[in-house]
Amino acid sequence: MNRQQLIEQIKTKRTFLCVGLDTDLKKVPQHLLEGEEPIFNFNKAIIDATADYCVAYKPNLAFYEAFGVKGLIAFEKTVKYLKEKYPQHFIIADAKRGDIGNTSAMYARTFFEEYDVDSLTVAPYMGEDSVTPFLGYEGKWVILLALTSNKGSHDFQLTADTEGERLFEKVLKTSQKWGTPDNMMYVVGATQGKMFEDIRRVAPDHFLLVPGVGAQGGSLEEVCKYGMNADCGLLVNSSRGIIYASNGTDFASVAAEKAKELKEQMDAVLKERGL
């Protein structure tokens, strides 16, 4: 999916919601555990219930790799189901890969050729040669970690050099020499609030993947106020606040209600911005 297609999906569906598929068997409703393929069946029900209210899905690989081969099969089946039944939805593999060049090339091959997802989260710490192998695929996106929502983000990302430039700003500035707004996004945590102004000063045109709304306490209002650009430029992710809103047999319908609530809030913001 290219940039213009993503923008059109946001404008047409009136939402920039991304649903995170962080599927934990300890939180999946009991009745699903009694059958076969509980991870995939949970994901399928969530997808069917929320597809009308979002433009993207983000399976987090840790929640699949934890179950070995069975987990990876569930991940692969989830991606195939999305591509077959909901081909207009943007698929983000949240795997946070990044290594020396030849290793990154294999990671890129795995996710962009074997799984054929639209995008992959990548850690930029090892620099240009660890990121560029992911950028050689037409229509695919790299989503670089920039300023994350966790408490530990302050340990490194906000440290400044002698000229006052913070590490996340250096990541933004330097990485724009490798990719463009057409193939690179950045992860910025929703809990960063007004810091989105600093992000936009350095990267005004790039899409931002924004986790942390809902269970982590991030404010959608603040994210939009400080982070939205003329093309919207946001994919706001909610995982636990949607998929685990209920652990009963009504889990899918309750997830749909939560996703719809966020969609309606996003629609209001888009209208307010003239989008």
Side-chain angles (χ1 to χ4, degrees), residues 24-274:
D24 184 347
L25 285 181
K26 293 182 179 179
K27 297 179 180 179
V28 166
Q30 182 64 36
H31 72 279
L32 290 179
L33 298 177
E34 297 167 358
E36 296 183 0
E37 301 185 300
I39 296 174
F40 173 68
N41 287 331
F42 177 81
N43 287 354
K44 180 176 179 292
I46 291 291
I47 291 166
D48 288 341
T50 61
D52 288 343
Y53 310 118
C54 68
V55 293
Y57 287 97
K58 183 177 71 65
N60 186 325
L61 266 293
F63 288 85
Y64 301 88
E65 292 171 338
F67 297 98
V69 172
K70 289 183 178 179
L72 289 174
I73 290 173
F75 167 74
E76 186 171 22
K77 287 191 70 171
T78 298
V79 171
K80 285 184 176 179
Y81 184 73
L82 281 167
K83 293 180 74 65
E84 290 170 3
K85 190 163 183 183
Y86 302 101
Q88 300 305 315
H89 283 69
F90 190 74
I91 305 174
I92 302 166
D94 190 1
K96 301 178 180 70
R97 298 301 196 251
D99 208 323
I100 60 173
N102 62 337
T103 306
S104 280
M106 290 296 102
Y107 282 138
R109 180 178 174 181
T110 298
F111 289 98
F112 293 150
E113 294 185 34
E114 182 66 24
Y115 294 130
D116 195 24
V117 297
D118 294 297
S119 61
L120 178 70
T121 56
V122 175
Y125 187 78
M126 293 180 68
E128 180 179 9
D129 62 318
S130 72
V131 175
T132 51
F134 298 101
L135 293 167
Y137 290 81
E138 186 176 354
K140 304 297 186 182
W141 297 74
V142 167
I143 308 180
L144 280 188
L145 302 178
L147 186 58
T148 56
S149 57
N150 60 306
K151 182 180 177 182
S153 64
H154 292 243
D155 291 342
F156 298 114
Q157 296 165 26
L158 296 181
T159 55
D161 61 19
T162 55
E163 297 179 356
E165 184 175 71
R166 291 163 292 184
L167 182 58
F168 79 87
E169 293 170 317
K170 187 178 294 291
V171 168
L172 293 171
K173 289 178 182 178
T174 303
S175 63
Q176 287 180 62
K177 301 172 186 176
W178 315 332
T180 72
D182 293 320
N183 65 0
M184 184 178 286
M185 303 185 191
Y186 296 103
V187 176
V188 182
T191 56
Q192 298 298 345
K194 200 174 180 181
M195 293 281 284
F196 277 84
E197 286 188 321
D198 298 330
I199 296 286
R200 283 306 188 197
R201 272 195 288 270
V202 183
D205 300 323
H206 289 72
F207 262 88
L208 306 179
L209 172 62
V210 184
V213 167
Q216 294 184 52
S219 165
L220 178 63
E221 182 181 3
E222 281 196 337
V223 168
C224 295
K225 180 179 180 180
Y226 300 116
M228 187 172 280
N229 64 19
D231 294 320
C232 180
L234 299 172
L235 288 175
V236 173
N237 182 81
S238 179
S239 300
R240 287 171 286 173
I242 291 175
I243 68 174
Y244 299 131
S246 170
N247 64 357
T249 56
D250 64 346
F251 75 97
S253 61
V254 176
E257 290 172 9
K258 296 297 182 182
K260 184 179 181 182
E261 288 175 9
L262 282 170
K263 188 259 187 187
E264 289 173 347
Q265 294 173 38
M266 292 175 176
D267 182 27
V269 174
L270 291 171
K271 289 176 180 174
E272 184 181 309
R273 298 295 185 96

